[in-house]
Each structure stands twice: as C-alpha cells, then as structure tokens.
Amino acid sequence: MINPTPTPAYTQLTAFFNSNPGTRLHIEFHPTQPALPPTILTSGTNIAIPKPLLLEAFRTAHPTFFSPGTTDQGILDSTLVLLLVAAENLTAVNARRRIILGKGANNGRDEIKLIESFLTSPLNKHNKSPLLWNYRRWLTERFGVLEEGIEAELTVVEASGEVHPRNYYAWNHARFATTFFLPRSPSGPQLPYVLERTANFALSHVSDTSVWSFLQFLFFQTLEHPDPHSFRAQLADIVGKSMQFAHGIARGHESVWAFVRTVLGSE
C-alpha cells in the first residue's frame, strides 16, 4: 500500500504537535460557521480544530497507519490524529507504546506531556477516557520523574477535574499516583501534603463526588501509616472544616456528608 498524499489539515495538525514536544497543549474542537471555510486556529500552545478538518486529516491518517511502509514517525503522526478522532483506539495506543518504549526516556516524557494535553483539555471523550488514563499510568511507571511525581500527577488530575467534574478515571489515577510515588520518593511531598491539597480542592468542588471519594481513600491510607496517630490533628481539622462548610454554605450536598459519616465511623 502506498501512503496517500497528506491533506493540508493532516500536515498542519501534525506540524503543530511536532513543533511543541514536551509541552502541555490546550486542544479544543470548535464549530464551523456556514459563511466561512473551516480553519485550524493556533496561538502559542493552543489549537482549535474544526471537526470537518479533523475528518479530512483522518482520511490521511487511517491509510498511513495501516501502510506496511510507514516509518515510526509516520505511525506517531497518524496515531495522533486517530486518537483525536476516537480516544478509545487501543490499536493506536499500542502502536505508540511500542515505538515510545524503543525510543527511551526523553521521548517517553514528551509522550507523557502529549497525553496530559488530551486529559486536561476540554475534550469530553478524552479527559474521561479509561484507555488514555491507563496509558498515562503505564508511561508514568516507566518514565515519570520521582522528584516531580505526586505533584505533577495531582496537577493533571485537578486540571482534568476542572474541565470534567466527577471524573472518576482522573481521581482513580490519583489513587495510583499516591501509592506509586509516595513510597518511592521519601524526600518529596508526603501524605500530609496530599491530604491538605485534596481537602482544599474538595472544599472548592463540593458536589464532586469523585474527589470526596479520593479524600476518603487518603483517610484510610493514614491507617496503614507506621504512625497513624500523627495524622489525628490534621484529619480532625479536615473533618471539622467539611462539616462546617456543608452545614453553613453547601447544604444538600450528600457527597460531603457521606465522606464525614464514613471517616467518623472508621477506627
């Protein structure tokens, strides 16, 4: 199979992403106006893609990906477009996984940033994609930087939670990051930091059941700590603030009271 001549949309899309390696990008799909031709808009690290041009790029990406003579870079370019079209494309992710694994740490960290762009941009199918979150987990385990680990992952999770509230997959990734990074980076931020940061986010997103569930998970993590009593004052403060907030400001939010009842009923 001969690779097709790239469409202008395919060339513009892949050029933009290739010119911003290792950078978190802001990606949006924007509607077209009947009186104007569709245009891909870029500004710095921001890109807005009209659906007709994304589908035009797909007409190049699909045959390119399945062509036997496609280079590794051609596969990375084509799978980028395939994932923009459909977040749950396991074949595209596995192809990227194979190439990234062979290229080493620098490319792995660039890939982490690319997936971060999908997960934190206002793309509903992408920032709540179990496949992309699992792929980020795989990348993080192999190429993540321990010194930045838990802070970097919480930043991504919170950004994803902002654009798509109640994002179970994002906060489940936070569970992974907590159990993966904290034991491996004793000189970095530890459980008290994660507790305080998560409590502050939960109190500012009081109806987000997923973050309250993660905060509850952190509470039970303290029971497995070598010195669980050292958390007593911090946990009591978080519970007290939560009860005060729910009673005085955010009445009717069952997610807060479910959290309070569960932790007060624990050991």
Side-chain angles (χ1 to χ4, degrees):
M1 182 185 295
I2 300 175
N3 287 349
T5 302
T7 61
Y10 181 85
T11 301
Q12 188 176 356
L13 272 179
T14 55
F16 172 80
F17 283 93
N18 289 334
S19 64
N20 290 284
T23 305
R24 185 205 282 189
L25 307 172
H26 181 87
I27 310 165
E28 292 190 30
F29 299 138
H30 75 89
T32 57
Q33 299 182 25
L36 299 173
T39 305
I40 296 175
L41 304 175
T42 61
S43 176
T45 57
N46 303 287
I47 184 168
I49 312 165
K51 287 290 183 70
L53 292 187
L54 181 59
L55 295 178
E56 179 187 306
F58 177 81
R59 289 198 294 271
T60 297
H62 188 269
T64 298
F65 175 68
F66 287 102
S67 175
T70 301
T71 63
D72 283 353
Q73 186 58 50
I75 291 174
L76 291 175
D77 289 344
S78 58
T79 52
L80 167 70
V81 175
L82 295 178
L83 287 173
L84 282 171
V85 172
E88 297 301 309
N89 192 324
L90 179 60
T91 303
V93 166
N94 283 341
R96 297 187 72 86
R97 196 193 310 261
R98 173 182 59 81
I99 293 171
I100 296 301
L101 195 58
K103 285 181 173 290
N106 288 337
N107 290 86
R109 293 189 183 111
D110 287 348
E111 186 77 350
I112 287 175
K113 281 295 182 182
L114 175 65
I115 299 305
E116 184 175 319
S117 303
F118 284 116
L119 296 174
T120 59
S121 294
L123 309 172
N124 286 342
K125 297 293 185 182
H126 295 75
N127 58 39
K128 209 170 182 181
S129 162
L131 177 63
L132 293 183
W133 281 109
N134 284 334
Y135 183 38
R136 182 176 178 87
R137 174 175 177 166
W138 181 87
L139 290 166
T140 302
E141 289 174 328
R142 284 154 183 79
F143 307 111
V145 179
L146 284 179
E147 292 75 14
E148 303 170 2
I150 189 63
E151 292 184 277
E153 296 309 302
L154 287 178
T155 297
V156 173
V157 168
E158 289 169 356
S160 187
E162 291 279 5
V163 296
H164 198 142
R166 303 177 185 86
N167 191 336
Y168 165 80
Y169 298 103
W171 291 104
N172 194 48
H173 183 78
R175 288 176 174 83
F176 150 74
T178 301
T179 55
F180 180 78
F181 281 110
L182 294 191
R184 291 171 172 80
S185 182
S187 60
Q190 292 299 300
L191 190 53
Y193 165 82
V194 181
L195 270 166
E196 188 68 24
R197 180 168 177 167
T198 304
N200 290 336
F201 190 91
L203 288 171
S204 61
H205 300 76
V206 69
S207 64
D208 194 324
T209 57
S210 294
V211 66
W212 285 104
S213 177
F214 175 61
L215 185 58
Q216 179 178 307
F217 163 82
L218 294 177
F219 263 62
F220 289 109
Q221 286 293 103
T222 66
L223 299 179
E224 301 176 11
H225 193 271
D227 184 16
H229 296 289
S230 64
F231 291 88
R232 184 177 299 278
Q234 185 182 17
L235 300 183
D237 181 63
I238 291 173
V239 172
K241 286 180 179 177
S242 301
M243 293 175 66
Q244 203 171 33
F245 191 80
H247 181 72
I249 300 175
R251 295 190 179 191
H253 288 283
E254 179 60 23
S255 54
V256 186
W257 290 113
F259 161 77
V260 171
R261 286 195 301 268
T262 302
V263 297
L264 288 182
S266 70
E267 298 178 19

